Each structure stands twice: as C-alpha cells, then as structure tokens.
C-alpha cells in the first residue's frame, strides 16, 4: 500500500510550489529576555544568526515576562507537567477553575470555558450551538477565520455569508430570513489580515432587532484594547450585548489555549455537549498558572497598550512617508501589500537573508489571490531604531524586486 498515493501528494505539492505559495517554516529559537530578537537557522545544522521577529502574535512580549515564567516554573514544581486527563476524568485542575472565573469576570460575563486552543474554542462552540439550536441560520462575516468556518460547517446548519463588516448587507440577509428561524451572527472584532475593526454596536443593534445570538471572536484584541485590556467590545461599551465572547491565550497572553465567555447557562451547554471540549485532555495547570499571571499583568498594562499603539502608529506613518504600500489599518496590525505570491515570498526571503528581519509572507488562502502581503506586528519592544531599520530594509528590497514605490 505504501507509496500508492505518493504521486498524488507530490503533484499537489508541486502545484503549490508552482504557484509560489508552498509554505516554508522558519526555524526560530525565541530568547527569553531578548524579545523581539530570536535565533534563526537556515537548516538544522546551520550556525544560528540573530534576527528581529516582525510577525509574532505575542503582541506585548508576554511570552517572555519573568513573572509569567516564574508562575509557570512554580506550578510545574508543584503540580507537575501535564493535566492528566480530560476535564471530566481527572483533568479539571484548580488553576483552570480559577482561570475561568477570572476570564469571566474580565469580560463581565457569568462564566467562561477554556479549550486547548482558540481554534478549538471556535470550532467546538460554534458547531455545537448552530447544530443544537433547531433550525438555526448562521450569519457569518466573509472574512471570518478558518476556525469559525470549520465550526459553522461542522454544525451542518444553514449559513449565509455577509460582506465583510457590511451592516447593510447583514441587515438585508437577516430581513430576508424567516422571522421564526433562530439566528446567530458570528464575527470578529479585529480582523488580523487587514487590521480593520468591526462595527460591533451596529451589529448588536441588528441582533436586537432580529432576535439573533451574537458570537464575537476577540482573538486579536484581548489584552490589547479597552479597559483592563478586555477587548474591543469592552472598549466600545458593547461587551454586555454579546452572547459569546471568544478569545485566545496564544496571542497577547503569550501562551496557548482558547476560551469562550458568556452566560452560565450557555457555557454549561457548550461544556456539556461540545465534543471538541469533552473528548480531549485539559490544558495543564502550568498553562493555566501562566495564563492567570498573564491576565493579572494585562489587566494593569495600560502603559504597554499605549506604547503598542504608538509603535504601530509610527510604523504606519514611516512606511507611508517612504512610499511603501501600507494599508491604513485601524489597529496594531500593519499590512504592506505586495500583490503576488512569488514577489511576496522573495521579499520575505531577502529581508531575512540580507537584513536579518523575519516576517512571514501571507499568501492565498489566508488572503485572497492578488492581495498577498507582508504583515508586521510591532510590539512595545520594537523601538524606534528597529522601526527605522525595518523601513530602510523594506525600501531596499522593494527597489531590488522592482516593486512599486509611491513618489
Ligand atoms: C489565531 C486565530 C484563532 C485561533 O486561535 P489559536 O489560539 O491560535 O488556535 C481564532 N480566530 C482568529 C481570528 C485567529 O486569528
């Protein structure tokens, strides 16, 4: 049997390579205490070189915070390495119970439930809600993350896609749907590829008008926006209007894991019926301990949030001044458009080889064809000198590849 599908696998991979969108993972070794510096190896045996990481989702450098590392070391010493089981069978650690209480309070919700990742949280929660609510129709933003799409598809519920952030289109779809069918609107706050932000209040108004449930993915916003960093819905004074707020512990928290927050009854429902929650080993106490330490720091990190926005704002201004095609994003995410997969990959390659700048090319299907881009995520630790180095390097790469620079 072995080898029977080899030519199929090889053909498919060859087609990806021909299109210039075969993914190559950079071999990166993060250095605690040196963020955003890391070691890069061109091959497993190559000598490591120091690079600046420009595409991390560890937006505030929490992954290396000494207090978080200390909390995790203490927890590992006390409770050991793993969780030991599913939540139902011996994996329900005290740290996790406390973490869920703290996450719920942070979002102003009655309850929260953790999952092994943000992807799993979206897949598990959306699939169980849309499947178990009889006749449910899901209204899904066109730019929703693959994990939300997976949950919606796996529910086998009917779904309709509204144009990205287009409230008028969403309204027309809601109005055209039968009034007696249950409805669920699924969307994100910060969209991580364009860096734009949803009109949360206007979408909640529609949900009120049409009696729809609201599900908001705040993965790229928790820790970064709003009072105590509780997200964009909190910033906009809308958090209480959302039925489910979903977040990750893998981005601004600097760890791994995901969660939902909502009413006690809804969370109990997901806990009791979602296979993606029930049939998998719980997050280990060491992760929960780190997440609790991270949450405490994030709740008090207004200074870091201010510096984060300041560095992102400066970078956008500097890129525009240099004539580089930066998208005018409304968030901390700084996309620079390239427009084809080959050039995007080449630009990232030159940045790494010549300038020791690591940024991953973003190609289809993560973004539509023709909108391939480099996506920069400056943190408070990307100081002004690093910003200048980046803009100079990008200018050189753009000229070398004959990519367009505005006059
Ligand atoms: C990264 C991401 C997720 C998944 O979160 P993980 O914790 O990385 O699994 C979900 N939604 C969006 C919008 C994301 O960008």
């Amino acid at each position: 049997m072995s080898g029977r599908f080899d030519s199929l696998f090889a053909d498919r991979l060859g087609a990806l390579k021909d299109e210039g969108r075969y993914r190559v993972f950079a071999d990166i070794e993060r250095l605690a205490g040196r963020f955003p510096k890391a070691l890069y190896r061109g091959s497993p045996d190559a000598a490591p070189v120091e690079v600046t990481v420009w595409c991390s989702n560890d937006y505030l450098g929490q992954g290396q915070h000494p207090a978080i590392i200390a909390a995790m070391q203490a927890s590992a010493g006390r409770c050991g390495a793993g969780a030991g089981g599913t939540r139902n069978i011996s994996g329900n650690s005290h740290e996790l119970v406390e973490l869920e209480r703290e996450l719920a309070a942070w979002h102003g919700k009655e309850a929260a439930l953790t999952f092994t990742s943000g992807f799993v949280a979206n897949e598990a929660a959306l699939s169980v809600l849309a499947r178990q609510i009889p006749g449910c129709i899901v209204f899904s933003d066109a730019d929703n993350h693959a994990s939300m799409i997976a949950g919606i598809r796996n529910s086998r519920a009917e779904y309709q896609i509204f144009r990205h952030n287009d409230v008028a289109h969403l309204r027309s779809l809601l109005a055209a749907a039968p009034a007696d069918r249950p409805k669920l609107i699924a969307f994100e706050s910060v969209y991580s590829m364009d860096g734009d932000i949803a009109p949360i209040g206007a979408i909640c108004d529609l949900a009120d008008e049409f009696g729809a449930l609201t599900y908001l993915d705040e993965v790229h916003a928790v820790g970064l926006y709003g009072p105590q960093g509780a997200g964009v819905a909190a910033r906009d004074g809308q958090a209480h209007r959302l039925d489910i707020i979903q977040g990750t512990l893998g981005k601004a928290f600097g760890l791994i894991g995901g969660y939902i927050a909502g009413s006690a009854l809804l969370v109990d429902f997901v806990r009791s019926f979602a296979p993606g929650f029930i049939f998998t080993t719980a997050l280990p106490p060491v992760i929960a301990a780190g997440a609790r330490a991270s949450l405490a720091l994030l709740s008090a990190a207004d200074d870091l949030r201010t510096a984060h926005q300041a560095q992102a704002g400066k970078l956008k201004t500097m890129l525009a001044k240099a004539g580089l095609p930066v998208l005018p994003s409304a968030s901390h995410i700084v996309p620079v458009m390239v427009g084809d997969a080959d050039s995007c990959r080449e630009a990232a390659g030159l940045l790494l080889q010549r300038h020791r700048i690591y940024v991953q090319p973003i190609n289809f299907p993560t973004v539509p064809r023709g909108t391939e881009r480099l996506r920069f995520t400056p943190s408070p630790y990307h100081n002004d000198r690093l910003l200048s180095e980046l803009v100079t390097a990008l200018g050189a790469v753009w000229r070398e590849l004959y990519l367009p620079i505005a006059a």
Side-chain angles (χ1 to χ4, degrees):
M1 288 304 270
S2 113
R4 194 173 147 200
F5 299 108
D6 282 3
S7 63
L8 178 136
F9 300 152
D11 285 354
R12 292 286 169 83
L13 287 168
L16 269 190
K17 286 177 185 164
D18 289 347
E19 271 192 70
R21 59 185 188 87
Y22 177 74
R23 291 169 197 246
V24 179
F25 300 157
D27 178 337
I28 294 291
E29 189 174 351
R30 298 191 347 137
L31 303 168
R34 305 272 333 274
F35 185 85
K37 297 288 182 183
L39 297 178
Y40 163 75
R41 288 175 178 80
S43 72
D45 303 320
V49 294
E50 189 176 286
V51 298
T52 307
V53 178
W54 273 101
C55 54
S56 178
N57 287 331
D58 185 359
Y59 292 123
L60 301 179
Q62 292 281 96
Q64 58 145 29
H65 197 291
I68 298 174
I69 297 169
M72 296 177 78
Q73 284 169 335
S75 172
R78 205 169 57 245
C79 304
T86 66
R87 292 293 285 279
N88 190 35
I89 303 177
S90 153
N92 188 38
S93 69
H94 178 66
E95 283 295 355
L96 212 43
V97 172
E98 291 295 312
L99 172 63
E100 286 173 346
R101 289 208 322 199
E102 291 168 5
L103 288 168
W106 194 43
H107 287 295
K109 299 292 179 197
E110 289 172 0
L113 191 69
T114 53
F115 299 79
T116 41
S117 74
F119 189 107
V120 173
N122 274 336
E123 194 286 324
L126 279 169
S127 66
V128 81
L129 288 169
R131 181 190 290 245
Q132 301 280 348
I133 298 172
C136 184
I137 306 177
V138 183
F139 297 83
S140 175
D141 186 284
D143 284 4
N144 273 345
H145 189 257
S147 55
M148 299 174 88
I149 296 168
I152 294 164
R153 292 226 175 109
N154 290 350
S155 78
R156 298 196 212 125
E158 182 182 332
Y159 63 90
Q160 302 199 2
I161 294 170
F162 60 95
R163 287 193 291 272
H164 175 56
N165 278 348
D166 187 335
V167 177
H169 188 221
L170 173 58
R171 157 178 273 286
S172 71
L173 294 178
L174 287 164
D180 57 351
R181 293 274 298 273
K183 300 174 180 70
L184 187 156
I185 305 171
F187 63 118
E188 302 179 19
S189 57
V190 175
Y191 286 85
S192 72
M193 290 303 142
D194 287 355
D196 55 342
I197 293 181
I200 298 175
I203 291 176
C204 288
D205 289 345
L206 286 180
D208 286 347
E209 187 180 337
F210 292 93
L213 284 171
T214 45
Y215 185 106
L216 179 64
D217 175 323
E218 289 245 51
V219 157
H220 290 278
V222 291
L224 305 177
Y225 293 87
Q228 300 186 323
V232 176
R235 181 195 73 181
D236 294 355
Q238 304 295 318
H240 63 287
R241 303 180 73 193
L242 290 148
D243 293 296
I244 301 106
I245 293 178
Q246 181 267 357
T248 185
L249 307 174
K251 288 168 183 165
F253 275 79
L255 293 147
I256 190 156
Y259 64 90
I260 59 165
S263 75
L265 200 59
L266 186 146
V267 167
D268 195 23
F269 182 76
V270 174
R271 183 187 76 88
S272 304
F273 289 98
F277 173 80
I278 298 171
F279 298 106
T280 191
T281 299
L283 287 176
V286 63
I287 299 296
R292 291 183 70 197
S294 190
L295 178 54
L297 290 163
L298 289 172
S299 298
D302 284 342
D303 51 345
L304 273 186
R305 280 185 280 278
T306 304
H308 183 217
Q309 295 298 325
Q311 294 314 93
K314 269 187 220 165
L315 180 59
K316 284 183 241 179
T317 308
M318 289 164 73
L319 289 167
K321 255 181 142 168
L324 291 158
V326 58
L327 270 196
S329 96
S331 71
H332 58 283
I333 289 162
V334 184
V336 174
M337 304 308 281
V338 180
D340 80 89
D342 280 326
S343 305
C344 200
R345 200 172 28 76
E346 282 171 37
L350 286 174
L351 285 168
L352 187 58
Q353 302 309 332
R354 302 258 171 86
H355 305 278
R356 301 198 168 184
I357 283 171
Y358 169 47
V359 64
Q360 198 66 31
I362 311 266
N363 288 342
F364 178 83
T366 309
V367 295
R369 285 194 174 87
T371 73
E372 289 82 359
R373 67 197 66 183
L374 302 175
R375 172 184 172 276
F376 299 95
T377 54
S379 75
Y381 303 99
H382 291 78
N383 59 28
D384 292 354
R385 191 176 50 77
L386 292 178
L387 299 183
S388 304
E389 276 175 23
L390 173 65
V391 176
T392 305
L394 276 175
V397 166
W398 247 244
R399 280 186 289 277
E400 178 156 356
L401 295 178
Y402 298 101
L403 291 168
I405 297 184

